[in-house]
Amino acid sequence: MVGVVSVQVGAAFAKQLFAEAGASGVVAMRLFFAAVILLVVYRPALRADWRTLRVIAGYGAVLAGMNACIYQSFERIPLGAAVTIEFLGPLVVALIGSRRKLDVLWAVLAGLGVFLLSRVEGGLDWVGVLFALAAGACWAGYIIFGAKLGSRTTGGSGLALAMAFGALLATPIGVAEAGAALFSPWVLVAGFVVALMSSVIPYSLELEALRRMPPRVFGILMSTEPAVAALAGLLVLHELLTGWQWLAICCVVIASVGSVASTEKPEESADPPSN
């Protein structure tokens, strides 16, 4: 939950940088600084088998794609609406991985919240909606690859390497769009803060969470993302919520609490490998 709050407040601050560095430029800074921080902290060994390297590359690719698509969506539609549509990705993962009828109930309730929260007056820019849907597909891949990464690596070494690979993919695009503005001192400082809040803190915490719970439970717990995003948009960006959106927040919170209360301790999730 700390990761959820951190990533959405960081997204709200990142949106304020779009006027200076563009969406792609902010993505590049976020992934670049996050990669540098994680590489310094974890100092991962480069020796790994090919299967592990493929998982690391896949995780880094979906990270880059998820960030690039959702920031393009943020540029066009409100924060809460974008994250709500993006949530369709993990919601599908939760439904596919469900083994009990009760799990489906919580997922359906979360889906109702997604529908209500997306009821923004005046309609939504369809390009922004399509980018949010693409981000949702990447988010589903993030959950799947994250579980594999957690089982094949220890600590944050795999995350650091994956973040570095994602930064390699995103940085050239960001530099091409932002140009010299990307190297302004205050923009770089702001980008560093965004990297901490939106990548280093949440991804580190979520990777540890995925080591301790099955992807289906993780996906349902992430149903709080639309609500937290809407609140971050309200408090930081002054994006007002409608009555339907407040009702949606209640739906996703109830779904999250219900899924936690009704889930037994998962025996199916493997313990992290020892050093």
Side-chain angles (χ1 to χ4, degrees):
M1 294 308 300
V2 172
V4 168
V5 173
S6 180
V7 73
Q8 297 306 334
V9 174
F13 283 116
K15 189 170 181 176
Q16 295 178 318
L17 290 175
F18 288 176
E20 296 292 333
S24 297
V26 177
V27 171
M29 287 192 297
R30 170 179 169 175
L31 294 181
F32 175 80
F33 284 126
V36 171
I37 294 169
L38 291 172
L39 289 172
V40 170
V41 171
Y42 293 109
R43 300 188 181 188
L46 296 178
R47 293 175 297 177
D49 59 79
W50 281 107
R51 289 185 179 180
T52 300
L53 289 176
R54 284 198 296 266
V55 171
I56 290 172
Y59 190 78
V62 295
L63 276 180
M66 181 173 63
N67 284 292
C69 290
I70 197 59
Y71 275 28
Q72 291 293 332
S73 183
F74 288 163
E75 197 169 34
R76 294 166 173 84
I77 62 178
L79 194 72
V83 175
T84 296
I85 298 168
E86 183 192 24
F87 176 70
L88 293 176
L91 181 59
V92 169
V93 172
L95 286 171
I96 292 175
S98 176
R99 296 181 179 179
R100 300 182 304 174
K101 293 181 179 179
L102 193 58
D103 293 327
V104 176
L105 172 63
W106 301 130
V108 170
L109 185 59
L112 176 62
V114 168
F115 171 75
L116 294 176
L117 196 57
S118 64
R119 291 174 59 92
V120 178
E121 294 181 2
L124 297 175
D125 182 288
W126 277 104
V127 176
V129 170
L130 291 175
F131 272 119
L133 288 172
C138 292
W139 195 353
Y142 164 74
I143 294 173
I144 295 169
F145 276 104
K148 292 180 180 180
L149 187 70
S151 66
R152 301 192 69 88
T153 62
T154 59
S157 60
L159 175 62
L161 292 173
M163 191 70 70
F165 183 75
L168 286 176
L169 297 177
T171 298
I173 301 174
V175 172
E177 177 181 323
L182 198 62
F183 302 99
S184 170
W186 83 268
V187 171
L188 289 173
V189 171
F192 182 81
V193 174
V194 168
L196 282 176
M197 296 184 66
S198 297
S199 292
V200 176
I201 294 173
Y203 292 158
S204 298
L205 295 178
E206 288 171 10
L207 184 60
E208 292 304 315
L210 279 166
R211 286 192 170 108
R212 292 164 171 80
M213 65 177 66
R216 64 183 180 88
V217 179
F218 180 89
I220 297 176
L221 288 174
M222 297 297 281
S223 63
T224 56
E225 290 270 13
V228 176
L231 289 173
L234 172 65
L235 297 175
V236 179
L237 303 172
H238 308 293
E239 295 175 343
L240 298 179
L241 296 170
T242 66
W244 287 110
Q245 290 170 326
W246 283 116
L247 179 59
I249 289 174
C250 294
C251 288
V252 295
V253 169
I254 292 172
S256 296
V257 172
S259 66
V260 173
S262 63
T263 300
E264 298 177 358
K265 293 182 179 180
E267 298 178 355
E268 60 206 88
S269 59
D271 293 332
S274 58
N275 292 322

